[in-house]
Amino acid sequence: MSGAASSARPSRSGGGWQTFVADLKQVRASILILLALLIFNALFTPYFLSVQTLNVNLTQVATIIIVAMGMTLVIATGGVDLSVGSLMAISGVLAPLIFLNAAFANAQWLGITLAFIVPVLVAGAFGVLNGLFVTRLKLQPIVATLVLYIAGRGIAQVITNGQLQSFTVPGFSYIGLGRPFGIPFQVILMLIIVALTYWAVRRTVFGRSVLAVGGNETAAGLSGIPVARVKVAVYAITGLLSGIAGLIVIAINSSSDANQVGQGMELDAIAAVAVGGTLLSGGRAQVLGTLFGALIIQLIRYTLLARGVPDAAALVVKAAIIIIAVALQQRRRRE
């Protein structure tokens, strides 16, 4: 494994602060790009430094980062998950069906509580199914998750008969519209998830196992690591995080549309991981890199929109970013 990949391994010793600084050094290129974008917009984009603009950008990128944390783990094992957007849609259509159900008319708090739990668990269960497709049926990850990429959104559309579900339920909408201490609630949730993912990769046996499986699956199996269980676990985690992201999206919009929730999320998440420096071939997990990668992509999109470039052009830019990131990865590996 390369020196860069080795630096992404969980540390058994050494101070946590020194480890964190070392990880920041590994993604210094992403940090410099992000700083350049921030400075450019601060100088040339009106109102960029306003609280409103900051909140808008953080709100839009929070769900991408949440899903990308799971995608980082999946890609670190040498896999990929194309179903994340569809799992967001499934979670997003299930929640209103629960908290708007007449059975909870006199106990709305119970309906809201279940709406936070059940859809996320369902998305997680579909993630387990992805993992079983990969480990039991021996399907290539891109093929295994393509099944739910197609069928998952179809399931969401069938559940609602393709109809938009609108609602006004403050208790539920807080996950997307709440502002504790003036900070968007989903941003706080996102930071917690990033911190937990970083801790898991750097400090736990599970994190070491993820990197070992992605680095050399055969050797990992021979060393006693339960390869199949690790793979199923990362797909399950990605499903759970996709379910959370789906709830945030519908809470922001106060409506659930099976046709729109999670659209293109798979591309956003993969792009964030690739730009952040996680090898798409596996064996490395740059959690902080994924965070900065998502912020870079969001700022590029904002910069283009602020200059009148159509949003559709951002898709082309994202694709170009992935190609460039992969090309740079290949170059580093050859060196």
Side-chain angles (χ1 to χ4, degrees):
M1 199 176 288
S2 67
S6 299
S7 67
R9 293 171 180 162
S11 176
R12 291 177 182 271
S13 61
W17 176 249
Q18 288 86 347
T19 299
F20 181 74
V21 172
D23 286 341
L24 286 178
K25 290 180 180 178
Q26 287 294 322
V27 295
R28 58 184 176 273
S30 296
I31 296 174
L32 290 174
I33 294 171
L34 181 61
L35 288 174
L37 285 168
L38 288 170
I39 294 171
F40 175 84
N41 282 287
L43 293 175
F44 302 109
T45 303
Y47 310 112
F48 176 73
L49 296 179
S50 68
V51 174
Q52 181 179 2
T53 298
L54 177 63
N55 280 343
V56 167
N57 278 292
L58 287 177
T59 297
Q60 291 176 347
V61 79
T63 51
I64 298 174
I65 293 173
I66 289 172
V67 175
M69 287 297 108
M71 190 70 77
T72 300
L73 297 178
V74 168
I75 289 178
T77 63
V80 70
D81 192 343
L82 299 181
S83 70
V84 291
S86 296
L87 297 185
M88 286 176 63
I90 291 174
S91 175
V93 301
L94 286 177
L97 292 180
I98 296 173
F99 62 68
L100 294 178
N101 194 291
F104 302 110
N106 296 321
Q108 192 178 59
W109 64 270
L110 179 58
I112 292 173
T113 301
L114 291 176
F116 281 134
I117 298 173
V118 175
V120 174
L121 292 180
V122 170
F126 276 115
V128 171
L129 184 61
N130 279 332
L132 293 176
F133 283 160
V134 172
T135 58
R136 295 289 180 85
L137 299 184
K138 304 301 180 183
L139 297 178
Q140 290 291 328
I142 194 170
V143 176
T145 58
L146 184 63
V147 173
L148 275 177
Y149 169 81
I150 298 171
R153 194 166 298 277
I155 292 171
Q157 292 168 340
V158 168
I159 291 174
T160 61
N161 198 27
Q163 300 298 311
L164 178 72
Q165 301 177 94
S166 299
F167 54 85
T168 304
V169 182
F172 176 83
S173 296
Y174 190 84
I175 192 175
L177 300 176
R179 294 289 189 273
F181 311 107
I183 304 172
F185 180 79
Q186 65 266 42
V187 173
I188 296 174
L189 183 59
M190 175 266 289
L191 291 173
I192 292 172
I193 290 172
V194 170
L196 288 174
T197 306
Y198 179 78
W199 169 79
V201 169
R202 295 296 290 169
R203 294 292 179 180
T204 68
V205 173
F206 173 72
R208 289 191 287 275
S209 299
V210 166
L211 299 182
V213 170
N216 189 322
E217 184 175 322
T218 302
L222 292 174
S223 66
I225 293 174
V227 174
R229 277 189 286 174
V230 170
K231 287 187 174 183
V232 171
V234 296
Y235 283 101
I237 291 170
T238 304
L240 291 171
L241 295 179
S242 298
I244 293 172
L247 298 185
I248 292 172
V249 169
I250 68 167
I252 292 172
N253 298 324
S254 295
S255 64
S256 174
D257 185 350
N259 300 303
Q260 297 298 323
V261 174
Q263 276 284 8
M265 179 58 76
E266 55 284 331
L267 176 59
D268 289 334
I270 293 171
V273 175
V275 172
T278 293
L279 295 175
L280 298 183
S281 56
R284 180 176 182 177
Q286 286 284 14
V287 175
L288 297 179
T290 297
L291 171 64
F292 292 124
L295 292 172
I296 288 170
I297 293 170
Q298 173 61 27
L299 272 181
I300 289 175
R301 176 177 178 270
Y302 175 84
T303 303
L304 292 174
L305 291 177
R307 276 142 192 84
V309 179
D311 194 30
L315 295 176
V316 179
V317 174
K318 289 174 188 175
I321 288 173
I322 294 177
I323 293 173
I324 294 171
V326 172
L328 290 174
Q329 287 182 8
Q330 293 297 328
R331 180 179 177 182
R332 286 197 296 268
R333 291 186 70 183
R334 287 195 298 269
E335 293 174 352

